[in-house]
Amino acid sequence: MSTSTPLTYSTECTELRTTRDDWDAAAPELLESMLVQMHTVRIFEEVVLQLAGEGLVHGPAHSSIGQEGAAVGSVLALREADGVNGTHRGHHQFLAKGLSFLCPEGMSIVDGVKDDQIVEFIHRTMSEILGLKAGFSGGRGGSMHLQWLQAGALGTNAIVGGGVPLAAGNAWAQRHDAEVIDGSGAAQDMGVTVTYFGDGASNIGSTLETFNLAAAWDLPLCFFIENNLYAVSTHVSDVTGDPRLAARGPGFGIRSWRVDGMDPLAVYLAQRAAVEHMRAGRGATLIEAETYRYFHQNGPFPGSAFGYRSKEEEKQWRDRDPLHKVAEEMMRRKLLTEDQLQDLRARITAVITQVVEGITEKDPASAKGARRIHPALWPDPATVDEGLRMDPVLCGEVLEDSAQPATTQRRFVDAIADVLDRRMATDPGVVILGEDVHRLKGGTNGATRGLKDSYPDRVLGTPISENAFAGLGGGLSMTGRYKPIVEFMYSDFLWVAADQIFNQIGKARHMFGGQSGMPVVLRSKVAMGAGYGSQHSMDPAGIFATNPGWRIVAPATPRDYIGLMNTALDLQDPVLVLEHVDLYAVKGEIPEADLDYRLPVGKAAVRRTGQDVTVLSYLNMVDLSLQAAEQRADLDAEVIDLRWLDRASLDWDTIGASIAKTNNVLIVEQGASGTSYGGWLADEIQRRYFDHLDQPIQRVTGHEAAPSISKVLEAAANADLDDVLAGFDEVARHLGLS
């Protein structure tokens, strides 16, 4: 007969509710700060909705009115140096973190927000929401992307759940930076990070992946769920089996609390307990604050206007307003009078109104006296691409291709392991993470061999959670203290983490106005020909080349790999470093006893000079192009190894000089035609050099289908030497040589 034994969890999930004793014990200074901050947020948001109603907010205005208690109560339990990030509905958290940073000793009802620094903070925040150059990100981020790194505001995020993995990166840095003061692993000076998200994001894969990763690595990361019950118009009970979202924490081993988000003191007490738990080195925490947004997903109308909420429900929640709750408790304790409250609101309103009046003016084209933004406050359109990448600054000797130092032979994969070891030895900020990088004698190909033994705390074997560990790498790099090297075992896996790679890492620096670099190096291999089929074989260069922010390097020799990896780690931009399985066993000459040289950014290599056709290629196809050139001696080919593939780094000087000489172009790549890198490159070449071309740009690619498992079908799908020779034949045909 079978038996059933209830399972218990390794940690607790509790509900925290305040009593009158808690309110009586609360420090008057704490309650004053709560009151001032919440009214500042409320009035600020009311003004934003007014501006949105006038058409002055470009795009959505996601109001946080009703949710002020959750943000303010939480932030007041943090230190200045603690980090927070949030979602598209993040004005309240951003304002609370900024106000707490500017007023570390608290805020008083007497002073309100009259301080010049606070006024400037409000001005810069409003300017950013309106898309103006005085904003924190120069207007590039707007309402949904607010960042002030100095204050610990790491950035709000428009992708649901998108900011959660980034917060894990900041938390890992805090744990790694902390000084362990006793044998238990506790670090009392440890910083903590709070990532705010809603009930909708609690169902997102990247969020759940980060739950697991943060718990496994004991990160000082608090997952703060603002459960306002509605994801746009869908009630949490319609899409979640158990709407008590805090109950998810123990399943991941995360200590969790559930609180009334309309009670700022309850939120404060829960956050304080969570902070104590994390600073003691006991790992991640989760707080669910049940709260309510008074208005629709965005804009100045209540949810009832759209039919998914009743007016009765909205009234029930408004009757529990967190601003009223704090004021009533303070009045009960004789810490506040009604006149003082009204005076405080009037003074805050006056400050914010004055800020708006400095930004707007009467629209001369309006007969009704409408307002407009002062034209001089808009960003200069000519700066539209500024901040996308940083100017490269290399930190070591640049080795020119003409240099001829003493050399030794090394396998390609050994050169990878050698340079990674060297960089970790010389730069304590280099961190390597990915699946199995700490096992199997250096991962699945041996590229990280020996590193876990030498640098045990900086080589991180991750869960199979591409969104979580890619985002962690992005968040880690944004600290300015670390340079993560993130390995994706196969390039196809990059699409699992596409949000983090393209929406977050690639866009973050430009989106936040260049407030921080994004020095992420992403290693991935192209496994065409290895028999791994459709989901483990692709070349991602064509996709990355069409996405903003990324640099792409594609080394074809061991010497180039070392120099390009060193250069990639010097840059403050995200860099994709491509490797091909066919090259791992190839031997090549590298400088003897020198693993510190750099290769220049944006410099291609001419592997063979010629007069008749310019052949452009990269990775393993460079060697096939050279073989084809030798076999077709009647067609004098100039073979160029591109090395740098991204739009900003292509060596147009070398490419252009060659095309001007040969007047013919053949682009050679191995991968599928649908994701072809050469398609983009051919378009750009014909726009730049059309007058030099004597025939259409010829291309060698694989077929449309992704490679199959069948050895025969895989060979047919991928371009090989025969296909390259066919490409040479096509060029020759147009020249009348065949």
Side-chain angles (χ1 to χ4, degrees):
M1 187 71 177
S2 63
T3 61
S4 296
T5 304
L7 294 177
T8 58
Y9 294 102
S10 61
T11 190
E12 297 178 289
C13 178
T14 54
E15 187 162 81
L16 188 154
R17 299 283 174 175
T18 58
T19 65
R20 175 167 287 193
D21 289 343
D22 294 312
W23 283 97
D24 288 342
E29 297 80 12
L30 172 65
L31 299 182
E32 278 197 74
S33 290
M34 281 184 181
L35 188 77
V36 176
Q37 286 199 17
M38 287 195 298
H39 280 277
T40 302
V41 174
R42 174 69 58 87
I43 294 166
F44 182 95
E45 290 284 68
E46 289 170 345
V47 171
V48 168
L49 288 183
Q50 180 183 352
L51 293 170
E54 296 176 41
L56 297 179
V57 178
H58 185 59
H62 298 98
S63 164
S64 63
I65 293 176
Q67 299 184 197
E68 301 91 344
V72 170
S74 170
V75 168
L76 284 172
L78 305 177
R79 295 176 184 168
E80 297 172 55
D82 293 332
V84 304
N85 76 357
T87 69
H88 56 282
R89 191 182 315 284
H91 299 170
H92 52 329
Q93 296 139 8
F94 184 80
L95 288 166
K97 192 65 171 78
L99 292 171
S100 293
F101 172 75
L102 293 172
C103 305
E105 303 303 319
M107 302 184 73
S108 73
I109 57 176
V110 174
D111 294 329
V113 294
K114 68 180 182 181
D115 182 87
D116 289 344
Q117 284 187 304
I118 297 176
V119 175
E120 177 60 16
F121 170 58
I122 291 171
H123 174 259
R124 292 188 69 190
T125 305
M126 186 67 76
S127 294
E128 187 58 45
I129 290 171
L130 295 174
L132 307 181
K133 62 185 176 184
F136 282 95
S137 301
R140 288 188 171 92
S143 172
M144 297 186 288
H145 308 104
L146 296 168
Q147 183 186 69
W148 187 18
L149 294 177
Q150 183 184 4
L154 308 176
T156 58
N157 204 291
I159 301 295
V160 175
V164 178
L166 296 170
N170 196 71
W172 188 93
Q174 289 169 320
R175 180 165 183 79
H176 191 263
D177 291 346
E179 179 184 358
V180 178
I181 61 173
D182 59 41
S184 71
Q188 299 304 319
D189 63 341
M190 186 188 298
V192 304
T193 301
V194 181
T195 181
Y196 297 93
F197 54 94
D199 46 286
S202 68
N203 297 320
I204 293 288
S206 58
T207 302
L208 300 175
E209 287 183 17
T210 311
F211 279 5
N212 178 67
L213 189 150
W217 291 356
D218 291 329
L219 299 185
L221 178 59
C222 177
F223 300 94
F224 195 104
I225 306 175
E226 284 186 303
N227 183 0
N228 64 22
L229 306 183
Y230 291 92
V232 186
S233 62
T234 300
H235 195 275
V236 63
S237 62
D238 294 338
V239 293
T240 305
D242 187 343
R244 299 172 305 167
L245 302 178
R248 298 184 179 191
F252 288 92
I254 298 174
R255 176 67 172 95
S256 303
W257 290 262
R258 192 167 193 258
V259 297
D260 177 3
M262 308 303 273
D263 181 343
L265 184 59
V267 175
Y268 171 81
L269 294 175
Q271 185 69 79
R272 189 176 67 179
V275 166
E276 290 174 357
H277 180 95
M278 293 184 289
R279 290 204 208 282
R282 296 201 292 271
T285 58
L286 184 151
I287 296 172
E288 178 196 1
E290 193 173 58
T291 183
Y292 202 76
R293 53 172 165 83
Y294 292 170
F295 292 89
H296 179 52
Q297 165 75 354
N298 71 81
F301 302 102
S304 57
F306 298 87
Y308 63 89
R309 301 196 305 206
S310 68
K311 291 183 178 179
E312 291 74 20
E313 176 185 309
E314 290 173 343
K315 182 180 183 304
Q316 289 173 0
W317 281 93
R318 282 182 176 270
D319 288 345
R320 298 173 54 204
D321 193 301
L323 278 68
H324 297 164
K325 175 69 172 174
V326 173
E328 289 169 359
E329 293 292 346
M330 291 182 70
M331 289 178 185
R332 181 181 63 80
R333 290 182 56 185
K334 311 238 184 281
L335 301 173
L336 178 73
T337 67
E338 183 63 36
D339 287 344
Q340 287 176 315
L341 177 60
Q342 295 308 317
D343 178 64
L344 174 66
R345 284 191 57 85
R347 286 185 285 116
I348 295 172
T349 301
V351 168
I352 296 175
T353 300
Q354 186 176 9
V355 166
V356 173
E357 287 175 349
I359 291 172
T360 60
E361 66 180 8
K362 182 179 178 181
D363 187 348
S366 172
K368 298 182 179 179
R371 291 187 289 185
R372 71 172 186 180
I373 305 293
H374 278 293
L377 302 181
W378 293 108
D380 182 353
T383 66
V384 62
D385 288 332
E386 286 185 5
L388 189 60
R389 298 175 185 85
M390 295 184 73
D391 292 335
V393 177
L394 303 189
C395 303
E397 178 188 0
V398 175
L399 183 66
E400 300 295 339
D401 291 323
S402 58
Q404 296 186 4
T407 62
T408 185
Q409 276 211 338
R410 198 71 169 141
R411 287 195 313 159
F412 195 102
V413 71
D414 294 331
I416 298 175
D418 292 346
V419 70
L420 295 182
D421 186 16
R422 176 62 177 170
R423 293 281 65 80
M424 294 196 80
T426 57
D427 187 346
V430 174
V431 177
I432 290 177
L433 61 152
E435 296 161 8
D436 293 311
V437 295
H438 62 318
R439 295 283 189 265
L440 305 176
K441 298 182 179 180
T444 54
N445 295 101
T448 54
R449 58 168 170 71
L451 299 183
K452 182 65 175 178
D453 293 335
S454 300
Y455 318 99
D457 58 336
R458 290 191 286 134
V459 177
L460 313 177
T462 66
I464 301 176
S465 305
E466 284 82 2
N467 261 301
F469 69 72
L472 185 144
L476 196 58
S477 73
M478 291 172 72
T479 67
R481 304 189 299 279
Y482 292 96
K483 298 176 182 177
I485 301 174
V486 183
E487 177 182 310
F488 273 68
M489 193 180 293
Y490 292 92
S491 292
D492 306 68
F493 300 175
L494 294 163
W495 312 129
V496 179
D499 172 49
Q500 293 301 316
I501 290 168
F502 298 125
N503 278 326
Q504 310 299 339
I505 294 172
K507 295 177 181 177
R509 187 174 186 279
H510 179 264
M511 184 171 67
F512 290 125
Q515 294 188 59
S516 66
M518 184 58 80
V520 176
V521 171
L522 196 161
R523 292 180 49 242
S524 191
K525 68 171 174 272
V526 178
M528 292 179 186
Y532 273 76
S534 297
Q535 296 175 334
H536 286 65
S537 304
M538 79 172 298
D539 174 358
I543 305 297
F544 272 78
T546 61
N547 279 269
W550 281 92
R551 295 185 188 266
I552 311 166
V553 296
T557 69
R559 172 189 182 276
D560 280 8
Y561 192 96
I562 294 169
L564 291 171
M565 175 57 76
N566 286 333
T567 298
L569 285 168
D570 283 349
L571 302 180
Q572 290 296 305
D573 305 321
V575 183
L576 170 66
V577 178
L578 286 176
E579 303 163 11
H580 197 291
V581 292
D582 285 358
L583 297 175
Y584 281 147
V586 172
K587 288 186 177 181
E589 300 294 325
I590 66 170
E592 192 172 22
D594 182 6
L595 294 171
D596 296 326
Y597 64 90
R598 275 74 170 161
L599 292 181
V601 175
K603 184 64 176 175
V606 179
R607 302 299 187 190
R608 182 185 192 276
T609 59
Q611 300 294 321
D612 293 337
V613 60
T614 298
V615 180
L616 304 175
S617 192
Y618 59 95
L619 290 179
N620 63 316
M621 300 305 281
V622 173
D623 183 63
L624 293 187
S625 297
L626 290 169
Q627 293 181 41
E630 295 304 314
Q631 292 187 33
R632 283 300 307 259
D634 59 321
L635 185 64
D636 191 16
E638 181 150 290
V639 178
I640 297 177
D641 179 355
L642 293 172
R643 296 200 291 203
W644 294 85
L645 306 183
D646 59 278
R647 184 183 299 268
S649 308
L650 267 170
D651 186 356
W652 289 115
D653 290 340
T654 298
I655 294 169
S658 181
I659 293 173
K661 176 175 59 173
T662 68
N663 307 117
N664 300 285
V665 177
L666 174 64
I667 301 172
V668 177
E669 58 185 321
Q670 186 176 29
S673 60
T675 54
S676 166
Y677 173 78
W680 169 84
L681 182 58
D683 175 73
E684 191 67 23
I685 288 172
Q686 68 89 17
R687 291 176 186 277
R688 290 173 180 254
Y689 307 113
F690 181 80
D691 290 342
H692 289 287
L693 297 173
D694 288 344
Q695 64 175 290
I697 297 168
Q698 304 299 335
R699 293 170 54 204
V700 173
T701 72
H703 284 256
E704 181 181 359
S708 303
I709 288 292
S710 164
K711 186 175 183 179
V712 173
L713 293 177
E714 181 184 46
N718 298 331
D720 57 15
L721 180 58
D722 289 339
D723 294 300
V724 180
L725 288 167
F728 273 65
D729 290 342
E730 186 65 14
V731 173
R733 185 179 69 79
H734 280 270
L735 294 176
L737 298 177
S738 61

